[in-house]
Amino acid sequence: MPVISYLAYPEKQHRADLLAELSAHPYCEVIPAENADVFIVVTDTPDRKTDETVRNYLEQHHGLLCLAMIHGQVEDPQEQEPNDDTLST
Amino acid sequence: MTLSRREFLKNLAIGSAVTAASQLIPGVSFAWEKPTSQHGSDITWKKAPCRFCGTGCGLLIGVSEGRAVAVKGDPQSAVNKGLLCVKGYHSIQALYGEDRLKKAMIRKNGQMVEVPIKEALDLIAQKIKETIQNHGKDAVSMYGSGQWTIPDGYAASKLMKGCIGTNNLEANARLCMASAVTGFMTTFGLDEPMGCYEDMDHADTFFLWGNNMSEMHPVLFSRILERKRTHPRTLIIDFATRSTRTSVAADRSILFRPQSDLAVANAICYELFRTQRIDLSFLQKHCSFRKGKTQIGYGLQDKFAFQDTPEITNLDEYKKFLEDYTPEKVEKISGVSVEDIRYMASLYGDPTRNVVSYWCMGMNQHTRGTWINNLVYNIHLLVGKISRPGNGPFSLTGQPSACGTVREVGTLTHKLPKGVVMDPKARKVASDIWKVPYNRIPAKPTYDTVEMFRALDRGDIRFMWIQTTNPMVTMPNLRRYRDATKKEGRFIVVSEIYPTPTTAIADVILPSAMWIEREGMFGNSERRTQHWEKMVNPPGDAMSDTWQIIEVARRMGFTKEFPWGEDKHIEHIWNEYIRFHDNPAHRMADYETLKREPGVIWPYVNGKSTQWRYNTQLDPATKRRGGTVDFYGKPEGKAWIWLRPYEAAPEEPSKDFPFWLNTGRVLEHWHTGSMTRRIPTLHQAVPASYVELHPLDAKHLNIRHGDKVKLTSPRGSIIMNASLNQRACPPVGQVFVPFFDENYLINELTLDAYCPISRQPDYKKCAVRVERA
Ligand code: SF4
């Protein structure tokens, strides 16, 4: 169950298209900066294989100047106790 | 309110990205609100430097129920400001590989047998004592690592030099940064860079000398790219022997023939004089001139001896020396055009530009490694671009504590924690602090790393204890040294976390506690010391390298020298160690400060890091006034400009072996891959080593991408897959092979030639034949 965040720097001319495309992507959530050409992209995938596919898709996206991985939850579901429990806050 | 674990993790990921973005882009805002109530999470976050490269990124490790479960970049860390590369991000998975070594093993009747760790420690102490009795104390040796923590290295130095009384102590950092040390020492009289990573926020011109930074120091390269994004005037010059991802991102990629960087550096200096770009006032006040021996050999013979003798010279002689390096002449040697040489000189000489030069293995793993380090310093000294924000030469380290442990603690044959063994004053300081007899610390260095393995082969060394390194993958001319370990009468102890080709030749294997399974400190490239606490328990009987050394020392009767209890021994070791550096030029932070801060840079004086050494405004150790800098490492306060010529490599392509072979790393794998190949994502990304060829050579040899290729050098051959037009491309006549994969031991082909001054081997140049297999 990888959950990973990235800083993504879009090409200026592709900013709007990219935002629309990533927002529609089933495994991506996008938060654009309000005052800079940078997005936060969070990927939330069911398994490592899907995570890899999504990462490849992002890395090879021609509309992106640069992609920096920031944070990752790397727990492997097989190695953990049931982990989709609910945390009280 | 309830928050599912997944939502919690998502918020954590977004929060980290927001923090990282705001460090990189001040004032940036996102339409995202941090959930106010996140308590109830079962994850505790603790700081640690990354386990892998010498960049020393700050990590926050999430620990839950005794297990490391998550990683994020530490936004408080001045190194990485919240960013991490793919290795750092996956680093905790290296703790949990299936075949982790958990029990000690002893070879009995040819088979490795699990034993209680006490039995293994008893045997090690007994073997050391027996070896000393039968062959003398110089038959016992220890080979450590730039991945040792500072306390590991300190305990090793005290045991070997202070207790046993032998200088047979070396570390694998000899293979990665010894030339940077001798370069700094010969030019400035003190080791380690004068600047820090913050130079990246002030420079507008970045020269990368044989340094594929985008793969080897990716987080620092991101910082440079960010500087370029916000300061469009910024230029990145990639000066290299092959085209890489760094070349693609650079403004100019300039390729040179292997070894000819020496000539190009001199040609840049020639041009600076010709175009009158020299800072004469800086030169007169802060520099003097030296020349040394030439035709100095390559260390290929056993017991190779060399001693340089600096001779005073002057500016006129230097200018005359440079006449051999006109751009026209150097173009012929290097393949670098006159225009490109002039372009580089014009950037270094432009008074409106702030220039930093970065390098790593390309310059250090070089049979004239000390010389090329000297020559790049010459360039910066000629234009006075040094020791001030955004200006300076900067050698990056490959390993997380090559600086902190090997260079600062001094875990090399000639070194002590302060000074060198040849210096009676340094021996006196060490014997006083260690409370050992002065005469016990020998005044003569014994063996550098290559010579240490040669001594093992000859039988001069009989016992070797290897910790945190994998020489049976990394030694050049590997077959000779692997065969040496198998000879009758040799006893090899290996402390490791996973089975490797080095544990395969061991007589005793000790399972080590890794990284956050114990407390420790690392020192990164920019003189930054970083502490971490023990966060999780090591598996089985695994024990920290420091504690293994202490256990063996006590069994040998050195209880008085290692009196500490297990709970606080790291704190005690740190407090003892920093007594060696209690002066304004090298003062280290106290233990409490290290525990609190994400890292501090030495000299740490009056509660402040010194970011730019030698700068009279910023470095409290400077004494001489009347100038911008005081190079106080040299008695007269002046840096030495060296006259160092171009000399050819010991082995060049020939009729039988027509290609240059270059070796190195890839982004996804750390060194020999013993950790990163056990991390599924990294392993899948680059599952096996390969040979990169230029497409024209491939066409000529009828080789396609993925075909099997046979490489042969005078020392051996290997068959591996061809890689064409992938992440990098060597020029025609060269091939490149990464060394991370123990299934393809490329060092069976490399040559054990080294720089006679630093004694660091050259892994970047030897000759091979290439055939379709
Ligand atoms: S750049 Fe180096 S220190 Fe930073 S995360 Fe990557 S491997 Fe670790």
Side-chain angles (χ1 to χ4, degrees), chain B residues 607-629:
Chain B
K608 264 186 78 180
S609 293
T610 304
Q611 287 180 291
W612 287 277
R613 285 201 295 171
Y614 311 132
N615 182 311
T616 47
Q617 303 296 310
L618 303 170
D619 180 351
T622 56
K623 289 184 209 85
R624 297 172 185 85
R625 300 294 156 204
T628 52
V629 293

PDB file of all heavy atoms in Angstrom, chain B residues 607-629:
ATOM      1  N   GLY B 607      29.088  27.722  20.151  1.00  0.00           N
ATOM      2  CA  GLY B 607      27.723  27.363  19.763  1.00  0.00           C
ATOM      3  C   GLY B 607      27.396  27.655  18.303  1.00  0.00           C
ATOM      4  O   GLY B 607      26.221  27.685  17.925  1.00  0.00           O
ATOM      5  N   LYS B 608      28.427  27.815  17.475  1.00  0.00           N
ATOM      6  CA  LYS B 608      28.160  28.132  16.055  1.00  0.00           C
ATOM      7  C   LYS B 608      28.968  27.249  15.118  1.00  0.00           C
ATOM      8  O   LYS B 608      30.158  27.010  15.340  1.00  0.00           O
ATOM      9  CB  LYS B 608      28.540  29.595  15.787  1.00  0.00           C
ATOM     10  CG  LYS B 608      27.357  30.558  15.871  1.00  0.00           C
ATOM     11  CD  LYS B 608      27.750  31.956  15.453  1.00  0.00           C
ATOM     12  CE  LYS B 608      27.839  32.092  13.953  1.00  0.00           C
ATOM     13  NZ  LYS B 608      28.216  33.443  13.531  1.00  0.00           N
ATOM     14  N   SER B 609      28.305  26.807  14.038  1.00  0.00           N
ATOM     15  CA  SER B 609      29.015  26.086  12.979  1.00  0.00           C
ATOM     16  C   SER B 609      29.858  27.062  12.176  1.00  0.00           C
ATOM     17  O   SER B 609      29.468  28.215  11.995  1.00  0.00           O
ATOM     18  CB  SER B 609      28.009  25.446  12.011  1.00  0.00           C
ATOM     19  OG  SER B 609      27.278  24.421  12.628  1.00  0.00           O
ATOM     20  N   THR B 610      31.008  26.588  11.682  1.00  0.00           N
ATOM     21  CA  THR B 610      31.835  27.423  10.797  1.00  0.00           C
ATOM     22  C   THR B 610      31.612  26.944   9.367  1.00  0.00           C
ATOM     23  O   THR B 610      32.098  25.883   8.976  1.00  0.00           O
ATOM     24  CB  THR B 610      33.323  27.306  11.173  1.00  0.00           C
ATOM     25  OG1 THR B 610      33.456  27.658  12.544  1.00  0.00           O
ATOM     26  CG2 THR B 610      34.186  28.214  10.314  1.00  0.00           C
ATOM     27  N   GLN B 611      30.884  27.723   8.598  1.00  0.00           N
ATOM     28  CA  GLN B 611      30.513  27.257   7.259  1.00  0.00           C
ATOM     29  C   GLN B 611      31.618  27.470   6.225  1.00  0.00           C
ATOM     30  O   GLN B 611      31.741  26.714   5.284  1.00  0.00           O
ATOM     31  CB  GLN B 611      29.246  27.960   6.801  1.00  0.00           C
ATOM     32  CG  GLN B 611      28.005  27.461   7.527  1.00  0.00           C
ATOM     33  CD  GLN B 611      26.786  28.186   7.045  1.00  0.00           C
ATOM     34  OE1 GLN B 611      26.626  29.383   7.315  1.00  0.00           O
ATOM     35  NE2 GLN B 611      25.938  27.507   6.315  1.00  0.00           N
ATOM     36  N   TRP B 612      32.396  28.529   6.388  1.00  0.00           N
ATOM     37  CA  TRP B 612      33.467  28.784   5.435  1.00  0.00           C
ATOM     38  C   TRP B 612      34.774  28.938   6.188  1.00  0.00           C
ATOM     39  O   TRP B 612      35.009  29.960   6.854  1.00  0.00           O
ATOM     40  CB  TRP B 612      33.157  30.030   4.591  1.00  0.00           C
ATOM     41  CG  TRP B 612      32.074  29.726   3.606  1.00  0.00           C
ATOM     42  CD1 TRP B 612      32.237  29.117   2.391  1.00  0.00           C
ATOM     43  CD2 TRP B 612      30.672  29.952   3.751  1.00  0.00           C
ATOM     44  NE1 TRP B 612      31.011  28.947   1.775  1.00  0.00           N
ATOM     45  CE2 TRP B 612      30.036  29.450   2.578  1.00  0.00           C
ATOM     46  CE3 TRP B 612      29.877  30.519   4.747  1.00  0.00           C
ATOM     47  CZ2 TRP B 612      28.658  29.518   2.386  1.00  0.00           C
ATOM     48  CZ3 TRP B 612      28.513  30.574   4.566  1.00  0.00           C
ATOM     49  CH2 TRP B 612      27.924  30.077   3.395  1.00  0.00           C
ATOM     50  N   ARG B 613      35.605  27.921   6.103  1.00  0.00           N
ATOM     51  CA  ARG B 613      36.892  27.962   6.796  1.00  0.00           C
ATOM     52  C   ARG B 613      37.846  28.920   6.087  1.00  0.00           C
ATOM     53  O   ARG B 613      37.714  29.177   4.900  1.00  0.00           O
ATOM     54  CB  ARG B 613      37.522  26.575   6.823  1.00  0.00           C
ATOM     55  CG  ARG B 613      36.840  25.677   7.826  1.00  0.00           C
ATOM     56  CD  ARG B 613      37.746  24.524   8.210  1.00  0.00           C
ATOM     57  NE  ARG B 613      38.008  23.639   7.096  1.00  0.00           N
ATOM     58  CZ  ARG B 613      38.918  22.657   7.148  1.00  0.00           C
ATOM     59  NH1 ARG B 613      39.646  22.469   8.229  1.00  0.00           N
ATOM     60  NH2 ARG B 613      39.087  21.877   6.116  1.00  0.00           N
ATOM     61  N   TYR B 614      38.815  29.395   6.820  1.00  0.00           N
ATOM     62  CA  TYR B 614      39.906  30.276   6.343  1.00  0.00           C
ATOM     63  C   TYR B 614      39.434  31.699   6.062  1.00  0.00           C
ATOM     64  O   TYR B 614      40.240  32.580   5.801  1.00  0.00           O
ATOM     65  CB  TYR B 614      40.609  29.719   5.087  1.00  0.00           C
ATOM     66  CG  TYR B 614      41.026  28.276   5.191  1.00  0.00           C
ATOM     67  CD1 TYR B 614      40.736  27.365   4.177  1.00  0.00           C
ATOM     68  CD2 TYR B 614      41.716  27.809   6.310  1.00  0.00           C
ATOM     69  CE1 TYR B 614      41.115  26.034   4.265  1.00  0.00           C
ATOM     70  CE2 TYR B 614      42.100  26.469   6.410  1.00  0.00           C
ATOM     71  CZ  TYR B 614      41.786  25.594   5.388  1.00  0.00           C
ATOM     72  OH  TYR B 614      42.159  24.278   5.487  1.00  0.00           O
ATOM     73  N   ASN B 615      38.141  31.929   6.063  1.00  0.00           N
ATOM     74  CA  ASN B 615      37.613  33.265   5.799  1.00  0.00           C
ATOM     75  C   ASN B 615      37.766  34.100   7.088  1.00  0.00           C
ATOM     76  O   ASN B 615      37.252  33.723   8.139  1.00  0.00           O
ATOM     77  CB  ASN B 615      36.134  33.132   5.401  1.00  0.00           C
ATOM     78  CG  ASN B 615      35.498  34.443   5.052  1.00  0.00           C
ATOM     79  OD1 ASN B 615      35.615  35.418   5.789  1.00  0.00           O
ATOM     80  ND2 ASN B 615      34.814  34.482   3.920  1.00  0.00           N
ATOM     81  N   THR B 616      38.480  35.216   6.996  1.00  0.00           N
ATOM     82  CA  THR B 616      38.824  35.959   8.228  1.00  0.00           C
ATOM     83  C   THR B 616      37.588  36.545   8.915  1.00  0.00           C
ATOM     84  O   THR B 616      37.643  36.861  10.099  1.00  0.00           O
ATOM     85  CB  THR B 616      39.850  37.073   7.931  1.00  0.00           C
ATOM     86  OG1 THR B 616      39.416  37.799   6.789  1.00  0.00           O
ATOM     87  CG2 THR B 616      41.229  36.513   7.679  1.00  0.00           C
ATOM     88  N   GLN B 617      36.507  36.690   8.159  1.00  0.00           N
ATOM     89  CA  GLN B 617      35.282  37.202   8.781  1.00  0.00           C
ATOM     90  C   GLN B 617      34.445  36.091   9.424  1.00  0.00           C
ATOM     91  O   GLN B 617      33.633  36.360  10.305  1.00  0.00           O
ATOM     92  CB  GLN B 617      34.376  37.877   7.720  1.00  0.00           C
ATOM     93  CG  GLN B 617      35.031  38.998   6.945  1.00  0.00           C
ATOM     94  CD  GLN B 617      35.383  40.151   7.864  1.00  0.00           C
ATOM     95  OE1 GLN B 617      34.554  40.606   8.635  1.00  0.00           O
ATOM     96  NE2 GLN B 617      36.629  40.608   7.798  1.00  0.00           N
ATOM     97  N   LEU B 618      34.609  34.873   8.944  1.00  0.00           N
ATOM     98  CA  LEU B 618      33.674  33.807   9.332  1.00  0.00           C
ATOM     99  C   LEU B 618      34.281  32.663  10.128  1.00  0.00           C
ATOM    100  O   LEU B 618      33.549  31.888  10.737  1.00  0.00           O
ATOM    101  CB  LEU B 618      33.018  33.228   8.059  1.00  0.00           C
ATOM    102  CG  LEU B 618      32.279  34.236   7.176  1.00  0.00           C
ATOM    103  CD1 LEU B 618      31.892  33.601   5.841  1.00  0.00           C
ATOM    104  CD2 LEU B 618      31.015  34.731   7.881  1.00  0.00           C
ATOM    105  N   ASP B 619      35.603  32.534  10.093  1.00  0.00           N
ATOM    106  CA  ASP B 619      36.233  31.390  10.745  1.00  0.00           C
ATOM    107  C   ASP B 619      36.981  31.865  11.991  1.00  0.00           C
ATOM    108  O   ASP B 619      37.972  32.586  11.891  1.00  0.00           O
ATOM    109  CB  ASP B 619      37.195  30.723   9.744  1.00  0.00           C
ATOM    110  CG  ASP B 619      37.912  29.517  10.341  1.00  0.00           C
ATOM    111  OD1 ASP B 619      37.809  29.292  11.563  1.00  0.00           O
ATOM    112  OD2 ASP B 619      38.596  28.805   9.573  1.00  0.00           O
ATOM    113  N   PRO B 620      36.517  31.450  13.184  1.00  0.00           N
ATOM    114  CA  PRO B 620      37.158  31.921  14.422  1.00  0.00           C
ATOM    115  C   PRO B 620      38.608  31.456  14.575  1.00  0.00           C
ATOM    116  O   PRO B 620      39.337  31.991  15.417  1.00  0.00           O
ATOM    117  CB  PRO B 620      36.279  31.342  15.531  1.00  0.00           C
ATOM    118  CG  PRO B 620      35.410  30.325  14.904  1.00  0.00           C
ATOM    119  CD  PRO B 620      35.368  30.587  13.438  1.00  0.00           C
ATOM    120  N   ALA B 621      39.042  30.490  13.769  1.00  0.00           N
ATOM    121  CA  ALA B 621      40.428  30.020  13.908  1.00  0.00           C
ATOM    122  C   ALA B 621      41.421  30.897  13.153  1.00  0.00           C
ATOM    123  O   ALA B 621      42.629  30.740  13.305  1.00  0.00           O
ATOM    124  CB  ALA B 621      40.533  28.588  13.421  1.00  0.00           C
ATOM    125  N   THR B 622      40.936  31.814  12.314  1.00  0.00           N
ATOM    126  CA  THR B 622      41.880  32.664  11.566  1.00  0.00           C
ATOM    127  C   THR B 622      42.506  33.674  12.526  1.00  0.00           C
ATOM    128  O   THR B 622      41.844  34.189  13.422  1.00  0.00           O
ATOM    129  CB  THR B 622      41.194  33.426  10.413  1.00  0.00           C
ATOM    130  OG1 THR B 622      40.111  34.180  10.955  1.00  0.00           O
ATOM    131  CG2 THR B 622      40.662  32.480   9.356  1.00  0.00           C
ATOM    132  N   LYS B 623      43.794  33.948  12.302  1.00  0.00           N
ATOM    133  CA  LYS B 623      44.498  34.884  13.191  1.00  0.00           C
ATOM    134  C   LYS B 623      45.049  36.071  12.420  1.00  0.00           C
ATOM    135  O   LYS B 623      45.021  37.199  12.862  1.00  0.00           O
ATOM    136  CB  LYS B 623      45.675  34.172  13.870  1.00  0.00           C
ATOM    137  CG  LYS B 623      45.236  33.154  14.904  1.00  0.00           C
ATOM    138  CD  LYS B 623      46.459  32.572  15.597  1.00  0.00           C
ATOM    139  CE  LYS B 623      46.216  31.143  16.072  1.00  0.00           C
ATOM    140  NZ  LYS B 623      46.446  30.126  15.060  1.00  0.00           N
ATOM    141  N   ARG B 624      45.565  35.792  11.227  1.00  0.00           N
ATOM    142  CA  ARG B 624      46.226  36.858  10.468  1.00  0.00           C
ATOM    143  C   ARG B 624      45.181  37.778   9.874  1.00  0.00           C
ATOM    144  O   ARG B 624      44.229  37.335   9.240  1.00  0.00           O
ATOM    145  CB  ARG B 624      47.086  36.272   9.357  1.00  0.00           C
ATOM    146  CG  ARG B 624      48.205  35.424   9.861  1.00  0.00           C
ATOM    147  CD  ARG B 624      48.894  34.723   8.700  1.00  0.00           C
ATOM    148  NE  ARG B 624      49.912  33.794   9.157  1.00  0.00           N
ATOM    149  CZ  ARG B 624      49.659  32.540   9.519  1.00  0.00           C
ATOM    150  NH1 ARG B 624      48.437  32.072   9.455  1.00  0.00           N
ATOM    151  NH2 ARG B 624      50.624  31.755   9.932  1.00  0.00           N
ATOM    152  N   ARG B 625      45.350  39.050  10.041  1.00  0.00           N
ATOM    153  CA  ARG B 625      44.410  40.015   9.473  1.00  0.00           C
ATOM    154  C   ARG B 625      45.032  40.619   8.212  1.00  0.00           C
ATOM    155  O   ARG B 625      46.121  40.255   7.815  1.00  0.00           O
ATOM    156  CB  ARG B 625      44.084  41.107  10.500  1.00  0.00           C
ATOM    157  CG  ARG B 625      43.461  40.566  11.756  1.00  0.00           C
ATOM    158  CD  ARG B 625      42.071  39.962  11.501  1.00  0.00           C
ATOM    159  NE  ARG B 625      41.717  38.970  12.511  1.00  0.00           N
ATOM    160  CZ  ARG B 625      40.846  37.997  12.344  1.00  0.00           C
ATOM    161  NH1 ARG B 625      40.240  37.838  11.196  1.00  0.00           N
ATOM    162  NH2 ARG B 625      40.571  37.156  13.306  1.00  0.00           N
ATOM    163  N   GLY B 626      44.344  41.535   7.613  1.00  0.00           N
ATOM    164  CA  GLY B 626      44.909  42.217   6.444  1.00  0.00           C
ATOM    165  C   GLY B 626      44.625  41.480   5.160  1.00  0.00           C
ATOM    166  O   GLY B 626      45.247  41.715   4.134  1.00  0.00           O
ATOM    167  N   GLY B 627      43.709  40.573   5.176  1.00  0.00           N
ATOM    168  CA  GLY B 627      43.341  39.877   3.945  1.00  0.00           C
ATOM    169  C   GLY B 627      42.004  39.208   4.149  1.00  0.00           C
ATOM    170  O   GLY B 627      41.491  39.157   5.271  1.00  0.00           O
ATOM    171  N   THR B 628      41.444  38.690   3.066  1.00  0.00           N
ATOM    172  CA  THR B 628      40.137  38.049   3.188  1.00  0.00           C
ATOM    173  C   THR B 628      40.247  36.641   3.751  1.00  0.00           C
ATOM    174  O   THR B 628      39.280  36.104   4.282  1.00  0.00           O
ATOM    175  CB  THR B 628      39.449  37.982   1.817  1.00  0.00           C
ATOM    176  OG1 THR B 628      40.387  37.392   0.903  1.00  0.00           O
ATOM    177  CG2 THR B 628      39.038  39.352   1.322  1.00  0.00           C
ATOM    178  N   VAL B 629      41.422  36.029   3.561  1.00  0.00           N
ATOM    179  CA  VAL B 629      41.582  34.654   4.046  1.00  0.00           C
ATOM    180  C   VAL B 629      42.888  34.501   4.831  1.00  0.00           C
ATOM    181  O   VAL B 629      43.804  35.317   4.709  1.00  0.00           O
ATOM    182  CB  VAL B 629      41.605  33.628   2.877  1.00  0.00           C
ATOM    183  CG1 VAL B 629      40.267  33.558   2.183  1.00  0.00           C
ATOM    184  CG2 VAL B 629      42.722  33.922   1.900  1.00  0.00           C
TER     185      VAL B 629
END
